[in-house]
Amino acid sequence: MSNFPFLSVLTVAPLVGALVVAFLPRHRPELAKQVAFVWSLLVLVLSVVMWVSFNAGGDRFQFRESYTWIPNWGVSFTFAADGIALVMLMLIAVLVPLVILASWHDAESSKRSIPVYFALLLILESTMIGVFAAADVFLFYVFFEVMLVPMYFLIGSYGGHQRQYAAVKFFLYSLVGGLFMLAAVIGLWVVGGKTFDWQALSQVDISTGTERWLFLGFFLAFAIKAPFFPFHTWLPDAGGAAPAGAAALLVGVLDKVGTFGILRYCLPLFPEASKWFAPWALALGVIGIIYAALLAVGQNDLKRLVSYTSIAHFGFIGVGIFAFTTQAGTGAVLYMLNHGLATGLLFLVVGMLISRRGSSLISDFGGAGKLVPVLAGVLFFAGLASLALPGTAPFISEFLVLIGTFTVNKPVAVIATVGIILAAAYVLWMVQRTTQGTLNPALTEVDGMRRDLNLREKVVVAPLIALIVLLGFYPKPVTDVINPAVQATMDDIGRTDPAPSVGGTVQEAQR
Amino acid sequence: MTELKLPSLDYAALAPIMIMLGTALLGVLVEAFVPRRSRHVVQLTLALLAVLAALTMVVLNADDRLVTAGQAIAVDGPTLFLQGAILVLAAMALLLIGDRTVERGGAFVAQAAVTAESADDRKQAEGRNGLTEVYPLITFAIGGMLIFVAANDLLTMFIALEVFSLPLYLLCALARRRRLLSQEAAMKYFLLGAYASAFFLFGVALIYGFTAGVPGRSAGVDFATVNAAVSESPASQVLLFAGMALLAIGLLFKAAAAPFHVWTPDVYQGAPTPITGFMAACTKVAAFGALLRVFHVAFEGGGWDFTPVLGAVAVLTMLVGAVLAVTQTDIKRLLAYSSIANAGYLLVGVLAPSRDGLSGTMFYLVAYGFSVLAAFAVVTLVRDADGEATHLSRWAGLGRRSPFYAGLFTFILLAFAGIPLTSGFTSKFAVFGPALDGGQAWLVIAGVLTSMVLAFPYLRVVVMMWLSEPGESTPTVTVPGGLTSAALMVGVLATLVLGVAPGPLLDLATGAAEFVR
């Protein structure tokens, strides 16, 4: 079974589905939705088969496929997945059907073609899978850039308030990062002897100066994508304007390309530069944690609030990556998965609230729990998961990041911990102002607010809640897959974990 | 007085040029002897057949690597590749020029001598058939371009420059509507073009002076002599540098590089749109073909002297094109500035001192030509009662009215912005890669930075078309006739294919990337 070309099939399948959906007749939107949903379920099934046939103790990269593309430049369609990529692919496969189901009626308010909306979602899935599955730097870059196009139209055509501004800002920010990366990609190609193969490039010896420049080119693109402070300003706009489903994918998966890229490209290809820049990256991560959390506290728009919480979480992921310990690294990767689940859920639930109320302002709510108790309960759960309450999956990842960082860099770990407190503040205050307290009389006049979650919406949230709880208590299946990959990445940059110390300080242990 | 000897002519190698020029002469006769109502069909068929025949000859000559006509014409890899490119792109342009369904009577004026904006002028705009003299003119221009990229001495190059420029000046003046704008464009193009030609000729004279006195050689302006003189001439280097600078001005003017670009937006806007497309695609190929040959063959030894200067010109060109494109409100002017910026990217390729750089530049020329012709094809389609609606505000909501054509245009704009899976990306890679390899990192960084700026105007058009609501004045897209559709589809398909599978054309370009000396 492991000879089956999983990765290329997974990349192409949603694209074929998108074509089918796009050419379904416009006046039969229901059919388009059903086809899109079933198609994404098929992708999910295939992904599960792939997960099962992945050998956690085996090679670092599995399911490798390679086909010649542009021989003149040494470009090939090379796909391969390590544990990190596998986890992300699984996240995509799980989220997309749920997002399609959650967006069932989203496109109807926009007067635009409904089949096209679902086709765009499937195209997006295809490019997202491609970007995580690529093992050729050129191919990665292609997916990295092309991914912008469907997202741009999802935000620009189907979004809410200020969608044009948000779409253009999103596109330009990402494109700017992408072009810096392009310069670095070309540079890497030149110094690497005209090949784009990841494995060949990771063996190349690069002079210190060049390595730092190339690192910067890649890092800038990923820092904008992730986004890290101070390149984050596009995310609240894009997340606030995008339709809830697209926003869940944007924050849940698309932004992970940034942190994934750092793990897969920056660290192994430019190990020395990574170490040299690590203090700066850690600083950006820590600032992001605190700064975004403070901004989140002050938000009055639900979707923008969730976007800011994500920026804070990306700060944690960044700290976890650049702490250079296996624990922190595993925590960071696990966080990428858990954040996708928790924030994805939060975005979807918030989207359900907003579509009922017709407004995304927190001040338009108040006491909503009395009208829609189940929805309010799910929002509360999603919020708790997002603030990393013990028992939910994000707790484990946040904890791993913090203890992994603490062993090597106490101040960063201590400051980052403050972020947890702020997280409690913004989540609980948001939940309180929307669903608790006295009932806002305006709410009772809105028809939508009298309908609690219907079956479709329950089907959307149930798997996510189940996964968050399950991984909160038993993350082993995932960490088993992630650990070897993170270990290999740490080996690439030549860092070994400090020996556990008893009694003495960390500094002593390092000596 | 020595006896005049006739140079030996390799007729097969010269066939493409002779076919085009011969057909142009034949076209003049057609004007005289064929009845008016059938002239259009006869002329168009004749021109297309000539292009096809010339293209066939180029393909048959594919393995030629020779210098003929007494050092005047070099038929080698780059010549054949670029001649092929010019012919293919010219065929597409001819399809646009020949279309009479989009605009009744065609895009050209019926009577050029009528006073602009007069009652007669309004009458001619209402659908009388356009001039058919356009076809001999364009055929002459194509013939001139074919010589231009093959010219192996500076005088032949000058004559070719005039042969293709003069018809273009005229063609610019022949727009059916907005006659004043069109005439102004032609006048500007003519005056500035005449200056540029004069500079070029002056440069030739100085270089001729510089070549005198090389031991064992007589003075001359063929590239072999110039090349020998660059390393051996006892004459002052001032002559060489001044001559090179003046030659460069003449060529960079045609290539629309800053600071010799000021004519571009006005001419692109005023000229009939099919001619604009022809200029943006074919003139670029011809101008850069000549630039490549002059700098890689004649002044090869002086490389270190001109590279910094041309590099500065490249950076300035990219910068001017990108920054000014941001402020444009007219689609044709926007595309003009985009074409200036693209001239900058092409110069980056010219400055990559390697075979890969040469092949990359040639690849870029072809890829860009296809995309830009397709872009102008779409521009001809978006119209209202007064002709083409070129103001950007009029394009608002076009995606809602005509999703198919707006989709095609969006794809082309994404290609211009350099998004992967389009030829815009592969061609940028094809020039940036060798440039970085050749140590021109600063040019690549400038190219990347300006690409970011340039993405904004393209994106603005996309936003206009798709994300804005259609207004009262949003024109509809005229469903094109077969000719324009064919040109548009070829352009879009080429943009896609060269983006997804550039391998074959790259192979062809790499195989062709060696000059005979």
Side-chain angles (χ1 to χ4, degrees):
Chain A
M1 198 59 204
S2 60
N3 289 329
F4 185 78
F6 280 108
L7 295 169
S8 54
V9 171
L10 274 177
T11 309
V12 174
L15 198 63
V16 176
L19 285 176
V20 172
V21 171
F23 286 106
L24 288 175
R26 257 184 98 122
H27 57 272
R28 295 190 57 191
E30 286 302 316
L31 183 66
K33 294 173 187 176
Q34 286 152 6
V35 171
F37 180 61
V38 171
W39 210 286
S40 64
L41 279 184
L42 289 178
V43 173
L44 174 61
V45 170
L46 191 61
S47 308
V48 172
V49 176
M50 181 176 74
W51 175 279
V52 171
S53 45
F54 185 85
N55 178 7
D59 292 342
R60 176 178 183 185
F61 288 98
Q62 298 182 21
F63 311 121
R64 189 179 164 87
E65 306 167 45
S66 192
Y67 317 99
T68 308
W69 182 9
I70 311 173
N72 319 54
W73 297 337
V75 178
S76 58
F77 286 107
T78 305
F79 294 105
D82 60 357
I84 305 173
L86 185 75
V87 168
M88 295 314 297
L89 292 175
M90 216 43 224
L91 176 67
I92 298 167
V94 170
L95 273 183
V96 170
L98 298 178
V99 162
I100 289 177
L101 207 55
S103 317
W104 211 251
H105 299 297
D106 275 8
E108 279 160 24
S109 57
S110 71
K111 294 184 295 183
R112 284 164 196 261
S113 168
I114 293 168
V116 169
Y117 180 82
F118 290 94
L120 283 172
L121 280 178
L122 285 176
I123 294 176
L124 187 63
E125 179 173 26
S126 167
T127 56
M128 289 189 304
I129 292 176
V131 89
F132 288 111
D136 178 284
V137 180
F138 189 93
L139 187 64
F140 172 80
Y141 179 79
V142 166
F143 282 117
F144 186 84
E145 291 282 88
V146 172
M147 204 165 58
L148 302 179
V149 179
M151 199 54 179
Y152 169 78
F153 282 106
L154 279 173
I155 299 175
S157 297
Y158 298 93
H161 183 57
Q162 276 213 320
R163 55 199 166 86
Q164 293 191 14
Y165 170 77
V168 172
K169 192 168 175 181
F170 159 75
F171 198 96
L172 283 181
Y173 263 73
S174 304
L175 192 68
V176 165
L179 285 169
F180 277 117
M181 189 164 100
L182 175 63
V185 166
I186 297 175
L188 186 61
W189 177 70
V190 169
V191 297
K194 314 255 165 111
T195 176
F196 281 110
D197 185 62
W198 187 90
Q199 251 146 0
L201 286 172
S202 62
Q203 309 297 327
V204 173
D205 215 16
I206 310 172
S207 71
T208 310
T210 317
E211 188 184 338
R212 286 183 189 162
W213 282 112
L214 295 181
F215 173 90
L216 264 188
F218 277 89
F219 182 75
L220 204 59
F222 297 142
I224 292 176
K225 195 84 187 176
F228 290 148
F229 175 87
F231 310 108
H232 64 280
T233 59
W234 63 270
L235 183 62
D237 289 317
L249 286 181
L250 173 71
V251 177
V253 180
L254 223 62
D255 294 350
K256 305 297 189 315
V257 176
T259 47
F260 172 80
I262 292 174
L263 276 169
R264 170 68 74 77
Y265 296 95
C266 285
L267 266 46
L269 296 184
F270 318 113
E272 294 310 315
S274 301
K275 277 184 255 182
W276 197 75
F277 281 105
W280 300 97
L282 281 174
L284 290 188
V286 171
I287 296 174
I289 294 174
I290 304 296
Y291 176 75
L294 286 173
L295 285 180
V297 174
Q299 290 305 309
N300 189 29
D301 183 297
L302 280 168
K303 283 203 269 185
R304 290 181 71 90
L305 188 146
V306 180
S307 302
Y308 276 111
T309 68
S310 295
I311 297 169
H313 293 157
F314 281 115
F316 270 110
I317 299 176
V319 167
I321 291 173
F322 281 97
F324 297 145
T325 61
T326 315
Q327 264 174 342
T330 306
V333 177
L334 198 58
Y335 212 143
M336 283 158 62
L337 169 69
N338 292 336
H339 173 264
L341 296 173
T343 308
L345 176 65
L346 193 57
F347 250 121
L348 292 176
V349 179
V350 159
M352 292 169 190
L353 258 182
I354 293 170
S355 69
R356 283 175 165 70
R357 177 66 179 90
S359 159
S360 60
L361 297 182
I362 295 177
S363 51
D364 284 343
F365 290 90
K370 297 189 174 60
L371 293 172
V372 282
V374 181
L375 180 53
V378 176
L379 178 72
F380 188 53
F381 177 82
L384 290 182
S386 187
L387 69 80
L389 189 79
T392 61
F395 169 73
I396 299 191
S397 35
E398 206 159 291
F399 191 69
L400 276 174
V401 168
L402 287 175
I403 55 170
T405 310
F406 192 82
T407 53
V408 290
N409 196 332
K410 269 186 184 165
V412 168
V414 170
I415 302 172
T417 312
V418 177
I420 301 183
I421 303 167
L422 286 171
Y426 59 68
V427 167
L428 293 177
W429 202 36
M430 181 269 287
V431 170
Q432 188 213 339
R433 284 185 295 163
T434 47
T435 60
Q436 311 292 311
T438 51
L439 181 61
N440 182 348
L443 282 185
T444 51
E445 288 157 27
V446 184
D447 280 342
M449 290 306 291
R450 290 197 212 100
R451 285 183 286 109
D452 209 336
L453 288 188
N454 60 25
L455 181 63
R456 172 178 64 80
E457 289 166 327
K458 282 177 187 154
V459 172
V460 172
V461 296
L464 288 174
I465 295 176
L467 274 173
I468 290 170
V469 174
L470 188 72
L471 293 178
F473 283 99
Y474 188 64
K476 190 168 177 303
V478 180
T479 47
D480 280 352
V481 171
I482 295 173
N483 237 324
V486 172
Q487 188 67 56
T489 309
M490 293 302 142
D491 289 347
D492 282 337
I493 57 168
R495 278 289 168 110
T496 46
D497 296 333
S501 58
V502 183
T505 62
V506 174
Q507 278 80 5
E508 281 168 2
Q510 272 175 333
R511 276 183 223 126
Chain B
M1 183 109 189
T2 49
E3 197 186 336
L4 276 177
K5 264 196 306 183
L6 279 180
S8 74
L9 294 176
D10 184 332
Y11 287 101
L14 294 173
I17 296 168
M18 294 196 296
I19 290 171
M20 288 322 291
L21 294 181
T23 310
L25 294 173
L26 208 61
V28 176
L29 291 180
V30 169
E31 282 302 311
F33 295 110
V34 173
R36 185 179 288 275
R37 58 193 152 69
S38 44
R39 261 184 228 163
H40 172 65
V41 179
V42 174
Q43 289 280 29
L44 180 60
T45 321
L46 200 61
L48 280 174
L49 282 179
V51 169
L52 213 63
L55 193 59
T56 316
M57 284 314 294
V58 168
V59 174
L60 288 178
N61 289 343
D63 296 327
D64 281 4
R65 300 287 183 271
L66 51 90
V67 177
T68 184
Q71 298 294 308
I73 300 282
V75 178
D76 54 8
T79 299
L80 290 164
F81 185 91
L82 294 171
Q83 283 186 338
I86 290 172
L87 288 167
V88 170
L89 296 171
M92 279 175 68
L94 271 172
L95 294 179
L96 292 181
I97 290 167
D99 195 305
R100 284 191 167 178
T101 52
V102 172
E103 161 103 69
R104 205 144 63 86
F108 296 92
V109 69
Q111 248 182 315
V114 166
T115 317
E117 313 290 324
S118 67
D120 278 350
D121 184 31
R122 277 189 289 280
K123 215 159 68 191
Q124 70 81 19
E126 291 309 314
R128 279 172 56 196
N129 282 339
L131 291 172
T132 45
E133 282 88 344
V134 171
Y135 298 100
L137 286 173
I138 199 110
T139 324
F140 267 124
I142 299 170
M145 289 173 182
L146 296 188
I147 308 174
F148 200 51
V149 295
N152 197 41
D153 73 46
L154 292 170
L155 267 182
T156 312
M157 193 171 261
F158 175 73
I159 291 167
L161 179 73
E162 292 305 297
V163 171
F164 85 76
S165 295
L166 288 170
L168 279 180
Y169 301 145
L170 264 175
L171 285 166
C172 285
L174 297 182
R176 171 177 293 264
R177 294 166 191 272
R178 275 170 257 174
R179 302 271 314 130
L180 277 179
L181 213 57
S182 174
Q183 287 167 3
E184 183 194 324
M187 197 65 193
K188 270 188 186 157
Y189 194 20
F190 173 66
L191 286 178
L192 291 175
Y195 271 112
S197 298
F199 276 115
F200 186 90
L201 204 52
F202 223 135
V204 176
L206 293 184
I207 297 289
Y208 180 76
F210 177 72
T211 57
V214 178
R217 273 179 183 270
S218 55
V221 286
D222 62 294
F223 291 165
T225 307
V226 175
N227 194 17
V230 168
S231 44
E232 298 175 39
S233 173
S236 156
Q237 295 278 310
V238 174
L239 273 181
L240 171 68
F241 293 145
M244 260 163 69
L246 293 174
L247 279 183
I249 290 177
L251 292 173
L252 291 172
F253 174 83
K254 284 293 162 199
F260 316 108
H261 67 284
V262 282
W263 59 276
T264 319
D266 291 333
V267 174
Y268 275 31
Q269 186 187 18
T273 307
I275 296 300
T276 314
F278 176 71
M279 287 194 294
C282 297
T283 309
K284 267 241 159 43
V285 178
F288 275 96
L291 259 177
L292 283 169
R293 191 175 290 278
V294 166
F295 284 103
H296 280 288
V297 179
F299 297 113
E300 196 193 13
W304 295 114
D305 300 319
F306 66 76
T307 302
V309 180
L310 268 192
V313 170
V315 171
L316 188 68
T317 308
M318 293 187 270
L319 213 61
V320 165
V323 170
L324 291 184
V326 173
T327 62
Q328 298 308 310
T329 54
D330 184 285
I331 187 76
K332 282 171 87 175
R333 291 184 79 87
L334 197 160
L335 289 173
Y337 279 105
S338 137
S339 131
I340 293 170
N342 276 291
Y345 302 137
L346 278 161
L347 277 174
V348 174
V350 173
L351 289 172
S354 64
R355 193 170 172 159
D356 283 344
L358 178 56
S359 70
T361 313
M362 295 200 295
F363 177 82
Y364 197 118
L365 284 167
V366 175
Y368 177 72
F370 277 117
S371 306
V372 82
L373 269 170
F376 280 110
V378 176
V379 172
T380 64
L381 298 178
V382 182
R383 49 200 316 136
D384 58 16
D386 293 328
E388 290 161 6
T390 55
H391 198 274
L392 271 185
S393 65
R394 306 286 309 278
W395 286 51
L398 196 74
R400 216 67 81 70
R401 293 264 169 104
S402 325
F404 179 68
Y405 292 102
L408 292 184
F409 198 62
T410 305
F411 179 71
I412 295 163
L413 287 173
L414 289 178
F416 284 152
I419 301 291
L421 302 187
T422 65
S423 66
F425 173 67
T426 46
S427 50
K428 281 213 177 73
F429 190 89
V431 293
F432 287 171
L436 203 60
D437 204 13
Q440 306 283 355
W442 63 297
L443 289 179
V444 175
I445 290 172
V448 166
L449 288 175
T450 51
S451 300
M452 296 172 192
V453 179
L454 203 53
F456 179 70
Y458 299 141
L459 208 56
R460 210 165 45 126
V461 180
V462 175
V463 170
M464 274 285 179
M465 290 195 300
W466 292 99
L467 309 187
S468 300
E469 298 299 317
E472 285 287 299
S473 62
T474 301
T476 45
V477 168
T478 312
V479 177
L483 295 180
T484 303
S485 305
L488 177 58
M489 283 306 156
V490 170
V492 171
L493 275 181
T495 306
L496 179 67
V497 170
L498 294 180
V500 175
L505 187 66
L506 276 172
D507 281 336
L508 198 62
T510 312
E514 199 154 14
F515 290 107
V516 295
R517 289 168 210 280

